[in-house]
Amino acid sequence: MATVPHRIGNAEPADRSARTALALILGVAFGLRVIAAVVVQWYAQRIGKPCLFGDTAIYWELARTIREGTPFKVDQSGMPHFALRTPGYPLFLAA
């Protein structure tokens, strides 16, 4: 009868330290992301804009067209654009 070898040597503490390091890295990355989001939101409010990025207005306009059931278009510089963005994110905003 063949036996299945169990862990060789001292593998369990190495696995635990790798998991701890990964959890620490992910925790720090998440914390930095939250801090960045808070700073960007604070700055946007400070300058009186809903967001710092110019395409935000386009996404909200497309969300409005989805919500109202009108054609999926946005006007930029007086010209209508019908296929400027995919509808996934504006659909999420419209919900």
Side-chain angles (χ1 to χ4, degrees), residues 2 8 10-13 16 23 28-29 31-32 34 36-37 46-47 50 52 57 59 62 65-66 70 74 78 80 89:
I8 299 172
N10 198 3
E12 187 173 311
R16 189 175 302 139
V28 168
L32 289 173
V34 169
R46 184 172 173 235
I47 63 173
L52 299 179
Y59 284 113
L62 291 172
T65 65
I66 291 171
T70 58
V74 65
Y89 186 59

Side-chain angles (χ1 to χ4, degrees), residues 4-47:
V4 178
H6 293 280
R7 294 181 186 223
I8 299 172
N10 198 3
E12 187 173 311
D15 287 344
R16 189 175 302 139
S17 67
R19 285 188 209 133
T20 302
L22 179 61
L24 180 65
I25 290 169
L26 292 175
V28 168
F30 180 74
L32 289 173
R33 176 67 177 119
V34 169
I35 290 169
V38 168
V39 168
V40 166
Q41 182 64 32
W42 168 81
Y43 183 71
Q45 287 177 344
R46 184 172 173 235
I47 63 173

Side-chain angles (χ1 to χ4, degrees), residues 43-87:
Y43 183 71
Q45 287 177 344
R46 184 172 173 235
I47 63 173
K49 289 187 172 183
C51 191
L52 299 179
F53 310 105
D55 62 347
T56 302
I58 295 170
Y59 284 113
W60 281 109
E61 179 65 19
L62 291 172
R64 185 191 59 74
T65 65
I66 291 171
R67 190 177 58 242
E68 293 176 355
T70 58
F72 188 72
K73 74 175 182 105
V74 65
D75 291 329
Q76 284 187 310
S77 303
M79 299 191 70
H81 296 276
F82 290 93
L84 187 63
R85 302 275 193 260
T86 58

